[in-house]
Amino acid sequence: MESMNSKFKVGDPVVVARENPTGNPRTPRYIRGKRGVVGLVHGVLENIRDHRGIHNPLYTVRFDLSEVSICHDQDSIWVDVHEEWLSAIQPEERN
Amino acid sequence: MHEEREWAGGIIVAKAWMDSEFKEALLTTGREALREMGVHQGKVGKLVVVENTDKVHNLVVCTLCSCYPYDILGDTPWWYKHESYRTKIVQNPRACAQEMFQLEIPAGKQVRVYDSTSDVRYFVLPQRPAGTEGMSEEELAKLVTADSLIGAGYALEPDQLNEVERTGAAPEMPRVRPD
């Protein structure tokens, strides 16, 4: 990997990959291909209990509930996602 | 005989209610604040504590399996591992909380569901109930339930605690319907 520094910061709009980009497979299906905003930046975490190696930086990404389910209210789902699953996107334009 | 240790959940929350400096440290540094407090803990992931307020109600789930900070809070509640909870709470959190826990989250409160995927373990800092002014930290700790640390309930009010102590146990709620 290029570096151990986190590529995204809090507030960055991101989209989750649809397919597993050969990284940590632990990304729930319901957020794949979905748009969210970085809510927490954790950096590289050691998790020897559950992983064989060291993974890329971890983020907690906030998704509007309406992005991941049929509900339309102000609620949100915050999911832990590793960096290789995320790509930067332009902030959504709202009318 | 295993070592008897007071359940850490109640002690941590009561301290956070009483001591705003500790609360701030708990919310920003997680395990470090617990270490300074002397709470027994293992190394089960990074700890993030999220605070329930008048505006935000947090809930925790692990939709993939059952990630939970058990090294701090002990046994994982059985319903937390149940597929029904793990599926419904991210699809329709309000309806799920209502159906499983009889928890009506006011419309004016925003709901945030934290879905853990092992590296980070979450628990909720519940709101301090009304009518608890003047209670000691020790008394406050008794108001804290395991459910309230997941956001599946509120901390008990003093008369609810009296009822629990009088009857010997909290009433069992339906939680998860077999379907």
Side-chain angles (χ1 to χ4, degrees):
Chain A
M1 285 310 299
E2 40 186 29
S3 82
M4 285 296 166
N5 294 329
S6 302
K7 187 168 150 191
F8 302 107
K9 60 183 191 304
V10 171
D12 284 354
V14 288
V15 63
V16 182
R18 287 182 186 280
E19 302 292 333
N20 186 352
T22 64
N24 186 337
R26 287 189 181 212
T27 291
R29 290 200 177 276
Y30 70 91
I31 57 161
R32 297 191 186 178
K34 304 295 184 188
R35 289 157 177 263
V37 172
V38 172
L40 301 171
V41 177
H42 302 291
V44 174
L45 297 181
E46 215 178 311
N47 185 356
I48 42 171
R49 286 184 72 92
D50 289 337
H51 305 317
R52 293 225 167 137
I54 298 283
H55 280 281
N56 289 329
L58 183 75
Y59 303 89
T60 302
V61 180
R62 171 174 64 77
F63 299 90
D64 288 343
L65 185 58
S66 58
E67 176 77 6
V68 297
S69 93
I70 52 163
C71 289
H72 285 269
D73 43 37
Q74 293 310 300
D75 301 338
S76 52
I77 311 286
W78 299 57
V79 188
D80 295 339
V81 188
H82 286 272
E83 192 167 274
E84 71 275 12
W85 283 87
L86 300 174
S87 308
I89 51 170
Q90 289 304 309
E92 254 182 297
E93 284 182 21
R94 291 177 195 277
N95 296 322
Chain B
M1 280 288 289
H2 65 90
E3 190 190 344
E4 285 294 329
R5 189 185 289 134
E6 197 178 348
W7 182 60
I11 308 171
I12 297 167
V13 171
K15 186 170 171 65
W17 285 342
M18 293 290 271
D19 177 347
S20 58
E21 236 173 79
F22 169 74
K23 185 178 94 172
E24 201 50 39
L26 179 67
L27 296 174
T28 51
T29 70
R31 286 188 185 274
E32 200 182 310
L34 296 185
R35 215 170 5 252
E36 279 172 24
M37 185 187 166
V39 169
H40 174 88
Q41 56 183 335
K43 290 179 180 169
V44 186
K46 175 178 174 175
L47 177 70
V48 170
V49 181
V50 286
E51 184 186 15
N52 279 354
T53 65
D54 287 339
K55 292 187 177 159
V56 177
H57 184 89
N58 297 288
L59 284 142
V60 182
V61 68
C62 168
T63 59
L64 294 176
C65 45
S66 56
C67 296
Y68 181 76
Y70 59 83
D71 63 318
I72 302 165
L73 301 179
D75 292 343
T76 310
W78 66 270
W79 53 263
Y80 186 82
K81 306 176 198 170
H82 199 285
E83 198 188 334
S84 184
Y85 175 70
R86 289 164 38 217
T87 311
K88 290 177 182 170
I89 198 67
V90 291
Q91 288 172 349
N92 192 341
R94 286 174 192 268
C96 178
Q98 214 284 328
E99 185 188 330
M100 288 188 183
F101 315 116
Q102 287 77 54
L103 194 67
E104 292 279 358
I105 303 167
K109 269 194 197 193
Q110 200 189 89
V111 175
R112 294 180 185 172
V113 179
Y114 284 84
D115 187 359
S116 171
T117 60
S118 153
D119 292 14
V120 178
R121 307 294 169 121
Y122 295 90
F123 76 78
V124 172
L125 178 61
Q127 282 185 285
R128 181 171 173 165
T132 58
E133 301 78 8
M135 285 175 75
S136 70
E137 220 169 286
E138 209 174 13
E139 290 171 315
L140 288 171
K142 294 182 188 160
L143 303 174
V144 182
T145 63
D147 287 7
S148 70
L149 299 183
I150 295 170
Y154 302 120
L156 299 175
E157 289 176 14
D159 51 350
Q160 289 176 305
L161 177 67
N162 293 340
E163 186 63 15
V164 169
E165 287 181 339
R166 194 179 61 78
T167 57
E172 181 65 21
M173 290 200 273
R175 296 299 151 86
V176 176
R177 294 188 189 133
D179 50 7

